[in-house]
């Protein structure tokens, strides 16, 4: 357990498969290899890992506000890292939240790995930095991803059961984006100067839910957009490189332009 402390190298700190490492308002400047449970409990000041972070397939990283101390939790990792195990981001209620900032590269959620925002009322998760999801992302409560000029890439499965808010230069979905159940809307705001929103995988939008893409550009390259919810495109230029059928749901265009060569079909339902 490190509390208001700083630990430096050149040696590597290894948290073994049966170990627990707790950081509270502390900084690790050494390389950190987490194979067990790593808990970031600091809020003011935040916990920081500056020497590089590696994770094992049996590892768990928790940035959960209020889980041990009555405060939100903030962790800053100053180099991109790969989560190979379970990453829990959020809180335990009472408006205690979890904040994770990743600089110097993306957070990669590897194949078989899990990024989870627990379904705890009045606690949300915030990721500042780019995200590359190859595994599973599951949100039971609100998740905000602030990638700035970076990107969000999904080739795995994102199951969004609550509100999702994304700001980025690019959002690329070649996996599964499932908002078929749950509540809360999905909002993706693009800078307008980057690659924008591109999807070639299945997207499900449930009844009463809306996926709003603002700023664009928007590209539909195949896959499917299904469900009884609404796809809302606002203030953008869009391209259908594959045909898009609006079935039981709704497509809403506001201050936008949508071009082919794909065909837009407004179905009977």
């Amino acid at each position: 357990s490190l509390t208001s402390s700083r630990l430096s190298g050149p040696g590597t700190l290894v948290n073994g498969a049966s170990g627990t490492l707790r950081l509270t308002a502390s900084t690790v400047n050494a390389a950190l290899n987490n194979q067990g449970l790593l808990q970031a409990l600091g809020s003011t000041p935040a916990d920081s890992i500056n020497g590089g972070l590696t994770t094992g397939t049996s590892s768990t990283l928790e940035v959960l506000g209020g889980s041990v101390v009555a405060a939100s939790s903030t962790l800053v990792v100053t180099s991109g890292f790969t989560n190979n195990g379970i990453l829990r981001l959020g809180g335990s209620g009472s408006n205690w939240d979890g904040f994770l900032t990743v600089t110097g590269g993306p957070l990669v959620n590897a194949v078989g790995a899990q990024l989870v925002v627990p379904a705890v009322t009045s606690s949300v998760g915030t990721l500042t930095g780019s995200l590359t999801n190859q595994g599973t992302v599951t949100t039971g409560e609100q998740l905000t991803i602030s990638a700035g000029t970076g990107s969000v890439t999904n080739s795995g499965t994102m199951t969004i059961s609550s509100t999702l808010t994304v700001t980025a230069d690019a959002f690329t979905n070649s996996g599964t984006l499932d908002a078929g159940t749950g509540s809360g809307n999905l909002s993706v705001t693009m800078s307008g100067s980057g690659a924008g929103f591109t999807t070639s995988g299945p997207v499900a939008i449930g009844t009463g839910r809306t996926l709003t893409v603002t700023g664009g550009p928007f590209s539909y390259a195949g896959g499917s957009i299904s469900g009884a919810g609404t796809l809302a495109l606002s203030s953008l230029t869009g391209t259908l490189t594959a045909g898009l059928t609006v079935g039981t749901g709704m497509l809403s265009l506001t201050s936008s332009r949508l071009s082919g060569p794909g065909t837009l079909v407004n179905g009977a339902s």
Side-chain angles (χ1 to χ4, degrees), residues 55-56 59 61 81-87 107-110 113-115:
T55 65
S59 68
L61 169 59
F81 75 97
T82 298
N83 172 47
N84 291 298
I86 299 173
L87 194 166
L107 165 62
V108 178
N109 195 47
Q114 302 175 52
L115 193 166

Side-chain angles (χ1 to χ4, degrees), residues 31-86:
L32 174 55
N33 182 345
N34 181 44
Q35 302 293 323
L37 174 60
L38 170 59
Q39 296 176 312
L41 308 178
S43 179
T44 305
D47 293 311
S48 297
I49 299 174
N50 300 324
L53 173 63
T54 57
T55 65
T57 56
S58 62
S59 68
T60 299
L61 169 59
E62 292 185 343
V63 188
L64 295 176
S67 58
V68 177
V69 296
S72 294
S73 295
T74 302
L75 173 64
V76 178
V77 181
T78 58
S79 60
F81 75 97
T82 298
N83 172 47
N84 291 298
I86 299 173

Side-chain angles (χ1 to χ4, degrees), residues 213-229:
V213 181
T214 304
F218 172 87
S219 176
Y220 178 74
S224 63
I225 297 178
S226 63

Side-chain angles (χ1 to χ4, degrees), residues 100 102 126-130 143-150 152 165-168:
L100 173 62
V102 181
T126 298
L127 169 64
T128 301
S130 294
L143 172 63
T144 297
I145 303 175
S146 299
T149 58
V152 175
T165 303
V166 176
T167 55

Side-chain angles (χ1 to χ4, degrees), residues 5 32 108 138 173 194 210 219:
S5 298
L32 174 55
V108 178
T138 305
N173 175 55
T210 299
S219 176

Side-chain angles (χ1 to χ4, degrees), residues 3-255:
T3 302
S4 301
S5 298
R6 182 174 61 192
L7 194 63
S8 300
T12 298
L13 174 61
V14 178
N15 184 35
S18 300
T20 298
L21 173 60
R22 285 182 175 175
L23 305 179
T24 306
S26 293
T27 298
V28 178
N29 290 324
L32 174 55
N33 182 345
N34 181 44
Q35 302 293 323
L37 174 60
L38 170 59
Q39 296 176 312
L41 308 178
S43 179
T44 305
D47 293 311
S48 297
I49 299 174
N50 300 324
L53 173 63
T54 57
T55 65
T57 56
S58 62
S59 68
T60 299
L61 169 59
E62 292 185 343
V63 188
L64 295 176
S67 58
V68 177
V69 296
S72 294
S73 295
T74 302
L75 173 64
V76 178
V77 181
T78 58
S79 60
F81 75 97
T82 298
N83 172 47
N84 291 298
I86 299 173
L87 194 166
R88 295 191 179 98
L89 176 64
S92 59
S94 302
N95 296 310
W96 303 130
D97 304 323
F99 300 89
L100 173 62
T101 296
V102 181
T103 63
L107 165 62
V108 178
N109 195 47
V111 174
Q114 302 175 52
L115 193 166
V116 179
V117 180
V120 178
T121 303
S122 300
S123 290
V124 303
T126 298
L127 169 64
T128 301
S130 294
L131 171 66
T132 299
N133 178 51
Q134 302 165 348
T136 61
V137 175
T138 305
T139 68
E141 191 47 83
Q142 179 177 333
L143 172 63
T144 297
I145 303 175
S146 299
T149 58
S151 63
V152 175
T153 302
N154 176 47
S155 59
T157 299
M158 299 181 72
T159 302
I160 310 300
S161 299
S162 188
T163 301
L164 173 67
T165 303
V166 176
T167 55
D169 258 7
F171 188 115
T172 302
N173 175 55
S174 60
T176 298
L177 181 58
D178 183 4
T181 60
S183 61
N185 294 322
L186 293 74
S187 174
V188 182
T189 301
M190 311 272 73
S191 67
S193 59
F197 186 102
T198 300
T199 182
S200 59
V203 177
I205 309 170
T207 301
R209 306 190 74 185
T210 299
L211 168 57
T212 301
V213 181
T214 304
F218 172 87
S219 176
Y220 178 74
S224 63
I225 297 178
S226 63
T230 299
L231 172 63
L233 305 181
S234 178
S235 303
L236 58 77
T237 297
T239 302
L240 303 181
T241 58
L244 173 61
T245 298
V246 180
T248 58
M250 176 186 293
L251 173 62
S252 171
L253 300 178
T254 303
S255 302

